[in-house]
Amino acid sequence: MSRPTATPPSPRGVPVLGNTIAFASDPFGFVRRSVESTGDVFRMRLLGRDVYVVGDPDHVETVLLNREAFAKLEDFEVAFGDTLLSVEGEQWRRQRHAMEGFFDPTRIAEFAETMVDVAESHVDDWSSGREIGVDDEMRSIALRNLFEVVLGHSLSATERDDLAADAHALNNWFKPTSWVLPYWVPTPARREFRRGSDRLRDWARSLLDDAQDGPDEESLLATLATLQDDPDSEFDRAEVLDQVVGMIFAGHETTALAMTYALHQIAAHPDIADRFHAELDDVIDGRPSFADLRELEYAERVIDEALRLYPPVHAIPRETTERVDLGEYEIPGGEQVLLSVWSIHRDSRFYDEPLAFDPSRWEDTSPRERGYEFVPFGAGPRICIGRHFARLEMKATLAAIGRRYRLDADDEIDVTPQMTTQPAGPVNVRVTDRN
């Protein structure tokens, strides 16, 4: 059988610039229209380079399982250094092994109580009639969970705000209006990225120095601090520093976004809010326990639906290390490949009424059964190491908030792709005390 020789087709563009302007001005819309008009694999022509976009679950599976032919982009190393998010091969296996015990599903039950405490204490001063920026509130809660549960360190409110801003600045490396340009072109977004990255590394150095003076022995920070002092671990200080930087960003950003979108959709759909609150009232008597959280089936569907409709990681980038075949097409080596999670999650071929927020669609199916049609945490060997932790945090936070408050929202939410799926503006909701 002969190998494919056809190059993926390209959407119509303009001379020299190709698809640069169309993508930069409306990334999600451009990809959706291109999948519909051009196909599940297409070549996006940007200024100075091509990017191959994939919108088919079977091809996503091929890419994520073939780690030899599809490697991580250098962009991740620029953003995070030699961290679990960016490295390959034996270095990746060594880093994953060093940290996976902390995120084992059998261990995370012990974190539920702290997660509930964090959420309840954070929202204690909310009051009826108040309008809150739920995106800022969830970012603060997620940072508290990261530091108090994972890193064994407490932050003041001012420190949380500063750290959140510094971590958020890393998104600017992937801001569409900069990302479409050659890497050597200086842009305001790239300068902001550099400043945020430098400040984040200062945070990481300070945390490691503090950990050496007397860390919480149960924290991941303590584990990392120990590794840098162990000559047999093969970790030096620079690599440990990179892990802390990667953990600060990835350990709170995506979870905060998922909780933001879930709460906004509950607030925007009174019928869904009614079912959500009814389940909380039926299951929880007093303070939510881990056993209570496990029984919250409707809340679980709300979370799954938020992860489907608003996946915090909207695309998974890779780079070909050799010539590869995807269906009827071939992609040369050394080319960028973008797996469009956003497009797949909103495709009517895979989901009925895909643009509707409908938790009931998960009554007769599950994320596992959907396979590569549902990949908010990635998939394959490099699936997100913290996915079980993140799911527990989402449910604990939603339960703690929903037991006490009802949220209402009038406006639909607009989003924009950066490194993660960011709200295009503040996400405001009104608060009513249920008690």
Side-chain angles (χ1 to χ4, degrees):
M1 182 176 178
S2 61
R3 296 182 62 177
T5 58
T7 300
S10 295
R12 294 181 62 181
V14 299
V16 181
L17 295 176
N19 307 121
T20 302
I21 296 174
F23 176 78
S25 60
D26 181 16
F28 287 146
F30 172 79
V31 170
R32 175 183 55 79
R33 293 189 299 270
S34 298
V35 168
E36 292 174 352
S37 65
T38 311
D40 290 325
V41 182
F42 66 88
R43 179 169 58 98
M44 182 167 62
R45 294 173 293 126
L46 303 180
L47 186 62
R49 61 191 167 113
D50 292 340
V51 175
Y52 294 81
V53 180
V54 176
D56 175 79
D58 291 337
H59 295 331
V60 169
E61 180 178 12
T62 298
V63 172
L64 293 181
L65 293 183
N66 189 347
R67 290 183 294 164
E68 298 301 320
F70 296 93
K72 288 271 188 154
L73 292 185
E74 290 184 2
D75 297 73
F76 285 93
E77 187 175 350
V78 171
F80 303 115
D82 289 333
T83 183
L84 190 63
L85 296 168
S86 60
V87 297
E88 300 280 359
E90 181 57 35
Q91 188 177 17
W92 172 81
R93 284 186 284 272
R94 175 167 52 80
Q95 291 183 6
R96 182 100 176 187
H97 177 72
M99 292 190 283
E100 62 187 355
F102 189 88
F103 296 104
D104 190 284
T106 61
R107 183 179 179 184
I108 63 169
E110 66 189 67
F111 304 144
E113 182 176 345
T114 302
M115 291 174 174
V116 170
D117 283 344
V118 164
E120 288 185 338
S121 64
H122 185 83
V123 304
D124 193 51
D125 64 346
W126 291 5
S127 57
S128 285
R130 176 183 171 188
E131 186 173 84
I132 63 165
V134 73
D135 50 333
D136 290 335
E137 299 288 345
M138 292 308 104
R139 192 176 295 116
S140 186
I141 287 176
L143 268 175
R144 284 190 61 185
N145 276 316
L146 171 67
F147 273 79
E148 295 180 26
V149 178
V150 180
L151 299 179
H153 192 94
S154 294
L155 296 172
S156 68
T158 299
E159 287 175 324
R160 285 198 303 273
D161 291 343
D162 291 343
L163 187 56
D166 294 339
H168 183 73
L170 297 190
N171 276 291
N172 285 288
W173 185 257
F174 291 88
K175 191 172 184 178
T177 50
S178 285
W179 187 76
V180 296
L181 299 175
Y183 293 149
W184 53 266
V185 177
T187 67
R190 286 172 179 167
R191 287 192 291 271
E192 190 172 342
F193 161 81
R194 295 291 184 190
R195 288 193 293 268
S197 178
D198 290 344
R199 290 192 295 264
L200 206 58
R201 290 191 171 276
D202 290 340
W203 278 101
R205 291 187 189 95
S206 177
L207 286 168
L208 281 174
D209 290 341
D210 290 346
Q212 288 178 307
D213 294 334
D216 176 350
E217 295 181 358
E218 297 298 318
S219 72
L220 182 59
L221 186 62
T223 299
L224 293 173
T226 300
L227 287 174
Q228 72 176 354
D229 296 326
D230 182 356
D232 296 326
S233 73
E234 299 184 51
F235 281 81
D236 59 19
R237 181 174 174 83
E239 189 173 2
V240 170
L241 184 68
D242 288 341
Q243 304 313 309
V244 178
V245 171
M247 189 62 62
I248 290 174
F249 180 84
H252 91 280
E253 174 85 358
T254 53
T255 307
L257 288 168
M259 295 190 299
T260 294
Y261 297 134
L263 287 171
H264 179 271
Q265 290 303 296
I266 292 171
H269 296 87
D271 55 332
I272 292 173
D274 289 343
R275 288 193 62 182
F276 171 69
H277 291 296
E279 181 183 63
L280 295 179
D281 295 343
D282 182 57
V283 171
I284 300 173
D285 182 16
R287 191 169 174 278
S289 66
F290 178 69
D292 293 333
L293 297 178
R294 293 185 64 181
E295 290 187 42
L296 297 177
E297 295 180 358
Y298 189 71
E300 185 81 16
R301 293 177 198 139
V302 168
I303 290 169
D304 287 337
E305 184 67 348
L307 290 170
R308 182 198 68 83
L309 192 59
Y310 296 99
V313 177
H314 57 84
I316 304 172
R318 290 291 187 267
E319 183 175 13
T320 56
T321 62
E322 59 189 43
R323 176 191 180 280
V324 295
D325 302 332
L326 280 181
E328 61 186 297
Y329 302 115
E330 76 166 41
I331 299 176
E335 298 288 349
Q336 290 188 27
V337 177
L338 205 62
L339 310 179
S340 181
V341 177
W342 181 271
S343 176
I344 291 171
H345 282 196
R346 289 169 165 245
D347 194 316
S348 60
R349 293 174 296 175
F350 314 125
Y351 295 96
D352 295 333
E353 297 185 49
L355 301 186
F357 186 83
D358 182 12
S360 66
R361 74 173 75 245
W362 297 99
E363 290 177 359
D364 300 319
T365 188
S366 69
R368 181 182 293 274
E369 291 171 345
R370 300 313 297 243
Y372 286 80
E373 296 172 3
F374 184 76
V375 284
F377 296 103
R382 297 196 67 140
I383 192 169
C384 174
I385 193 173
R387 64 194 183 281
H388 299 297
F389 183 97
R391 279 186 169 278
L392 178 62
E393 181 181 352
M394 293 175 207
K395 192 180 283 189
T397 302
L398 264 61
I401 293 173
R403 284 183 63 250
R404 183 164 177 183
Y405 301 105
R406 186 180 179 104
L407 308 179
D408 295 285
D410 296 326
D411 300 329
E412 288 299 315
I413 194 168
D414 292 325
V415 295
T416 182
Q418 297 181 20
M419 185 181 297
T420 50
T421 306
Q422 291 293 319
V427 184
N428 295 323
V429 300
R430 293 183 303 279
V431 175
T432 301
D433 194 323
R434 298 181 67 218
N435 299 321

